[in-house]
């Protein structure tokens, strides 16, 4: 029935959302504890993430790094 299909869709969506949360948690744990420098940038060259290793080496906080671009450091 239609109701069964809706319930399956909702269940699948919840499972996908939980898998995404678990993946994000693993990514965060890895990047926050890595000794390697990890940076992500958007298409404009703005930093969207800098790992604690980058912060230790260059002294930029996450908020400060968000105001910089690849071309300004």
């Amino acid at each position: 029935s239609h109701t069964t299909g809706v319930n399956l869709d909702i269940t699948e969506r919840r499972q996908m959302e939980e898998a995404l949360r678990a993946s994000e948690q693993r990514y965060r744990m890895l990047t926050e504890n890595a000794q390697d420098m990890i940076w992500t940038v958007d298409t404009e060259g703005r930093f969207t993430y800098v790992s604690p290793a980058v912060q230790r080496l260059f002294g930029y906080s996450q908020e400060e790094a968000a105001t910089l671009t690849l071309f300004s450091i």
Side-chain angles (χ1 to χ4, degrees), residues 20-70:
L20 178 59
R21 275 191 290 279
S23 177
E24 289 173 345
Q25 185 177 17
R26 280 190 304 275
Y27 171 79
R28 184 172 308 284
M29 184 180 69
L30 289 169
T31 59
E32 296 295 319
N33 293 296
Q35 296 301 311
D36 297 326
M37 293 189 301
I38 302 170
W39 325 61
T40 59
V41 295
D42 64 14
T43 57
E44 302 295 318
R46 292 181 298 248
F47 293 104
T48 57
Y49 174 80
V50 295
S51 68
V54 172
Q55 294 173 22
R56 283 190 301 275
L57 183 63
F58 291 102
Y60 296 124
S61 70
Q62 183 72 37
E63 294 78 22
E64 290 169 321
T67 67
L68 303 173
T69 68
L70 280 174

